[in-house]
Amino acid sequence: MQADKPVSSVLRRPVSRRALLRRSALGFGALGLMGVMAEDNNLFAAPAVTNPLDAREPHFAPKAKSVIFLFMHGGVSHIDSFAPKPRLDADHGKPLPFKKSLQFADRHVGGLMKSPFPFKRCGQSGIPVSSLFPHVGGVVDELCVIRSMVGDGVDHGAAMLQLHTGTFSFTRPSMGSWVMQGLGTENRNLPGFITIKPTLWHGGEKNWSSSFLPGAYQGTPIGNSFMDVKDIEAEPIAYLAHERLTSEQQRYELDMLRKVNHLHQQERREDPHLEARIQALELAFRMQAEAPEALDVERESEAVRKLYGLDHPLTRDFGWQCLLARRFVERGVRFVQCTHSGMEEKWDHHSELAKLHYASAREIDKPMAGLIRDLKSRGLLEETLVVWGGEFGRTPFAEADGRDHNPYGYSIWMAGGGVKPGFIYGATDDFGYHAVEDRMHIHDLHATILHLLGLDHTRLTYHYGGRDFRLTDVAGNVAHKLIA
């Protein structure tokens, strides 16, 4: 302590007994540890004093600025939607001519099952689309259909976690959180990662969690899959405003709370949970200025609302989600997810596939096509990557009059954001069971999405628990063939 300074100016706040012990007695062990591990400077580097939401430059010139992920909970049948298989038509009802891989419902396997839906070549590209999606068929020239997806999970929980986080073995940051880690956000008044009506099961919030990444990168849910749109619209952000305080009073209160929290944080050596809480309070305050307007779809013209199907009860729910997604990305939100789900999985049809797949498709076909058309008309499709798909596909053999889970070869599609339009990538075998050409594992999909955003998936890492982590773990290859 310097003699020329009063004690009060040095000890600005009391030191507790616990803090004194931690700073003195326990410090001798830390000195020894630093001596042993002095060569690893990263272990003792001071944390960067930057706002985690600040926009950052990508690793290289990006094709896309934002992502809209249209998630189909339950697993759409690829051989009934975007990957016709004439061999199934010819061999319908025959015994399986191949060895089955691990199945979810192994005891109820029937013979080969043809698609109950006719296919038609659509657009100038001539990409086949089944009768499930007549509206999407009208925009097929904007789509890049990937027919060779591969995952590792045969049950919904594992497959969903892998799709969203890259692994089903551990809790890891979600894809949207990694995008935030790499790019930050362009609008500080809205969350950078939003998930609209997410499902609360099969992993629940783990599918949009930031895990060990900064808490500011976690997804912000708007409602959940059990809620009706009218209930969400009634009070979408009621919890943000304070009934008795003006905006200036709230700002003063928040600033004082931040000072106290930061003093507490200094004692706890950069507690990530406390920092997440501080960021959440800040964001909640700033959202009061912009979120109500962004969520108000009634500001859109009648023609736009009809384009998304908001004028019909069958398409209103998913149409509302898709329209919100467009409104968010045009306001600088990096990653928006829309989820087609409900009280149960919308696409998990182990029986009555012809009836139930048709019913589910009617709810999303017009809204998805409307989203593609609307983004293109506004000049947003070039910089927005739209990704559509479920956690897996369905089997080419019957389970009663439905299909079982199939992660070994299935289809998704992408549009805009730098992918080749009117293009088919990869293929499954003659029966649609296994991917055999240009196989795209989920790690490859994640690597490709990050690449389109200008991020090298091998460089987008975060040091935690003694090692560097990334979305693609130790795998992942960019599918350069499908990039325009």
Side-chain angles (χ1 to χ4, degrees):
M1 184 180 300
Q2 297 179 10
D4 58 343
K5 288 188 177 182
V7 172
S8 59
S9 68
V10 179
L11 298 177
R12 298 182 179 178
R13 58 182 306 201
V15 179
S16 67
R17 182 177 60 180
R18 181 176 297 175
L20 179 63
L21 289 171
R22 181 171 67 245
R23 293 176 182 177
S24 57
L26 297 182
F28 294 116
L31 287 174
L33 178 64
M34 290 182 70
V36 173
M37 306 183 71
E39 66 274 9
D40 191 347
N41 294 327
N42 290 330
L43 290 177
F44 305 101
V49 187
T50 58
N51 191 311
L53 296 176
D54 287 344
R56 289 177 287 282
E57 291 296 320
H59 298 147
F60 45 82
K63 299 280 188 178
K65 293 173 58 178
S66 56
V67 176
I68 296 176
F69 180 25
L70 308 177
F71 174 59
M72 306 292 107
H73 187 199
V76 184
S77 173
H78 54 297
I79 49 186
D80 296 301
S81 54
F82 296 99
K85 291 298 174 182
R87 183 70 181 271
L88 290 179
D89 295 336
D91 293 351
H92 176 69
K94 293 182 179 180
L96 275 60
F98 49 78
K99 182 179 179 181
K100 292 189 292 82
S101 298
L102 178 66
Q103 294 301 135
F104 180 73
D106 195 48
R107 294 174 295 176
H108 306 287
V109 176
L112 295 173
M113 178 179 170
K114 70 177 182 180
S115 175
F117 308 106
F119 280 77
K120 176 184 176 181
R121 292 191 176 274
C122 301
Q124 294 183 350
S125 59
I127 294 177
V129 180
S130 85
S131 60
L132 284 176
F133 296 109
H135 291 282
V136 173
V139 295
V140 74
D141 287 337
E142 305 297 337
L143 307 188
C144 174
V145 180
I146 301 171
R147 291 178 170 176
S148 54
M149 282 300 304
V150 177
D152 299 311
V154 295
D155 63 284
H156 295 287
M160 281 181 59
L161 280 174
Q162 186 175 46
L163 175 62
H164 288 89
T165 72
T167 180
F168 56 77
S169 302
F170 307 97
T171 299
R172 294 286 185 263
S174 63
M175 176 168 42
S177 298
W178 280 110
V179 171
M180 286 290 292
Q181 165 72 9
L183 298 175
T185 182
E186 292 187 332
N187 188 337
R188 296 281 304 282
N189 293 332
L190 290 173
F193 173 18
I194 295 175
T195 177
I196 307 172
K197 292 195 67 177
T199 180
L200 300 180
W201 45 334
H202 293 147
E205 64 181 13
K206 293 180 181 178
N207 290 305
W208 67 88
S209 166
S210 60
S211 186
F212 49 71
L213 292 179
Y217 299 154
Q218 68 185 3
T220 297
I222 297 178
N224 61 65
S225 63
F226 298 156
M227 299 177 67
D228 291 329
V229 168
K230 65 179 185 295
D231 296 327
I232 302 174
E233 287 184 311
E235 291 185 311
I237 57 167
Y239 60 90
L240 296 179
H242 196 291
E243 295 180 356
R244 297 182 300 276
L245 297 181
T246 66
S247 177
E248 292 75 15
Q249 289 171 328
Q250 289 182 66
R251 180 69 264 175
Y252 175 79
E253 184 181 74
L254 190 60
D255 287 341
M256 294 302 294
L257 182 60
R258 168 177 279 276
K259 290 179 181 179
V260 173
N261 281 335
H262 276 304
L263 287 172
H264 184 50
Q265 190 179 47
Q266 290 173 11
E267 293 293 323
R268 302 182 68 179
R269 298 298 300 272
E270 301 296 327
D271 183 345
H273 300 292
L274 179 56
E275 179 59 30
R277 180 64 175 166
I278 294 172
Q279 293 292 338
L281 289 170
E282 283 284 348
L283 178 59
F285 176 79
R286 294 195 302 269
M287 283 177 65
Q288 295 181 55
E290 192 162 343
E293 187 274 336
L295 290 162
D296 187 4
V297 299
E298 294 303 316
R299 294 172 180 261
E300 299 287 345
S301 68
E302 182 180 0
V304 168
R305 285 185 275 120
K306 284 185 176 181
L307 179 67
Y308 285 85
L310 267 66
D311 59 331
H312 195 286
L314 191 65
T315 52
R316 173 167 168 72
D317 186 296
F318 202 69
W320 177 80
Q321 293 192 50
C322 290
L323 180 52
L324 272 189
R326 189 270 288 166
R327 290 176 64 83
F328 282 136
V329 297
E330 70 181 349
R331 286 163 175 77
V333 177
R334 289 288 187 192
F335 196 101
V336 184
Q337 177 165 324
C338 306
T339 297
H340 189 224
S341 187
M343 298 300 291
E344 58 184 16
E345 310 95 322
K346 283 287 187 178
W347 293 94
D348 190 33
H349 301 146
H350 295 263
S351 62
E352 296 187 285
L353 180 133
K355 171 187 173 182
L356 299 178
H357 252 47
Y358 175 71
S360 292
R362 289 185 65 201
E363 295 176 356
I364 66 170
D365 180 38
K366 185 175 182 180
M368 294 191 307
L371 174 64
I372 299 298
R373 295 183 189 278
D374 196 19
L375 288 171
K376 186 171 183 180
S377 69
R378 296 170 185 270
L380 291 171
L381 188 59
E382 290 184 1
E383 61 185 35
T384 304
L385 177 66
V386 182
V387 183
W388 174 91
E391 61 265 41
F392 38 55
R394 316 300 298 188
T395 57
F397 46 83
E399 179 189 352
D401 54 349
R403 302 188 191 276
D404 199 2
H405 307 171
N406 179 20
Y408 310 111
Y410 59 101
S411 299
I412 68 167
W413 56 254
M414 296 195 280
V419 300
K420 291 180 180 177
F423 184 72
I424 295 175
Y425 179 88
T428 51
D429 57 36
D430 290 343
F431 301 97
Y433 194 25
H434 289 91
V436 294
E437 178 184 327
D438 288 327
R439 295 174 78 254
M440 180 177 277
H441 190 274
I442 289 173
H443 292 315
D444 305 324
L445 174 67
H446 289 161
T448 303
I449 290 174
L450 293 178
H451 182 87
L452 291 167
L453 291 166
L455 297 170
D456 181 344
H457 72 105
T458 65
R459 295 169 55 193
L460 184 60
T461 62
Y462 191 86
H463 195 79
Y464 172 77
R467 77 174 181 92
D468 290 337
F469 286 87
R470 69 187 203 213
L471 174 61
T472 52
D473 196 31
V474 295
N477 295 293
V478 176
H480 290 283
K481 289 183 182 179
L482 61 75
I483 298 175

